[in-house]
Amino acid sequence: QVQLQESGPGLVKPSGTLSLTCAVSGGSISSSNWWSWIRQPPGKGLEWIGEIYHSGSTNYNPSLKSRVTISVDKSKNQFSLKLSSVTAADTAVYYCARRSLITMVLNWFDPWGQGTLVTVSS
Amino acid sequence: DIQMTQSPSSLSASVGDRVTITCRASQSISSYLNWYQQKPGKAPKLLIYAASSLQSGVPSRFSGSGSGTDFTLTISSLQPEDFATYYCQQSYSTAGFGQGTKLEIK
């Protein structure tokens, strides 16, 4: 079955850029699904950041759009997140997830990666 | 944006209890509503999709219902492993989650 694994630095300096990669195994990133990033600040709820299709099409949360870039590397079967100009408010566990797509409105997040904590601090 | 509001925010219950968690959307989302379970230090796990369809491998004591703006997740007989935080999520438009309901042992 498909498995996802996040990787990247656990500590980022304020005003810097957060960069994470999600490796997809057990399936192709070129399948008919969207590949998403979701975050969860410590002790808080879930926030969808954005997503990418294997064609390179993207959708972003409007509240983060100006700072987010999601890209895909089909040759490595992985996708990546860059979040610029980070502050302490961006400290969170970052998850990658597959948005399993039946239709554009009938879909769900499954599976998820295990998550990686990124702390923004000097 | 569609806002998702869960109630209650927290809930204390005992093993064997029947528990219901409610999720309300700020506008109609038909049946495009999913439920997730999250245990401490773990990623969320899909329980219910399309309001009432049970994800493969999820125990039948979990059920979902509703359409339009009002939805419920019911656990028919709480088991020790069910104490967790539950989130609803709408897929009708840009993905949005409820704020979560923490289910604790009484």
Side-chain angles (χ1 to χ4, degrees), chain B residues 59-75:
Chain B
S60 59
R61 62 181 180 273
F62 290 92
S63 64
S65 65
S67 66
T69 60
D70 294 319
F71 302 86
T72 57
L73 172 69
T74 299
I75 309 172

Side-chain angles (χ1 to χ4, degrees), chain A residues 38 40 44-48 60-62 95 99 103-110 112-115, chain B residues 1 32 34 36 38 41-46 49-50 55 87 89 91-95 97-99:
Chain A
I38 297 162
Q40 185 172 37
K44 296 188 177 181
L46 299 163
E47 179 181 34
W48 176 77
Y60 297 133
N61 187 323
Y95 295 101
R99 186 158 71 93
T103 70
M104 285 308 297
V105 290
L106 180 59
N107 55 77
W108 47 85
F109 295 109
D110 181 69
W112 297 58
Q114 65 184 25
Chain B
D1 281 5
Y32 302 120
N34 307 313
Y36 301 85
Q38 186 179 35
K42 300 294 186 182
K45 169 189 170 184
L46 177 69
Y49 61 91
Q55 171 69 343
Y87 293 93
Q89 175 250 324
S91 61
Y92 186 80
S93 68
T94 305
F97 293 89
Q99 80 279 16

Side-chain angles (χ1 to χ4, degrees), chain A residues 53-104:
Chain A
Y53 198 66
H54 61 79
S55 63
S57 295
T58 54
N59 295 308
Y60 297 133
N61 187 323
S63 69
L64 298 169
K65 186 174 183 176
S66 63
R67 299 194 291 130
V68 173
T69 303
I70 298 176
S71 59
V72 65
D73 186 337
K74 290 186 285 186
S75 68
K76 294 183 178 178
N77 218 39
Q78 65 186 32
F79 61 107
S80 298
L81 168 71
K82 290 189 185 299
L83 181 65
S84 63
S85 304
V86 297
T87 69
D90 295 310
T91 293
V93 175
Y94 285 76
Y95 295 101
C96 57
R98 180 183 68 182
R99 186 158 71 93
S100 297
L101 198 70
I102 307 301
T103 70
M104 285 308 297

Side-chain angles (χ1 to χ4, degrees), chain B residues 8 10-14 17 19 78 83 102-106:
Chain B
S10 64
L11 174 61
S12 294
S14 301
D17 284 354
V19 167
L78 271 175
F83 292 95
K102 186 173 184 179
L103 179 54
E104 299 175 304
I105 300 173
K106 182 183 287 184

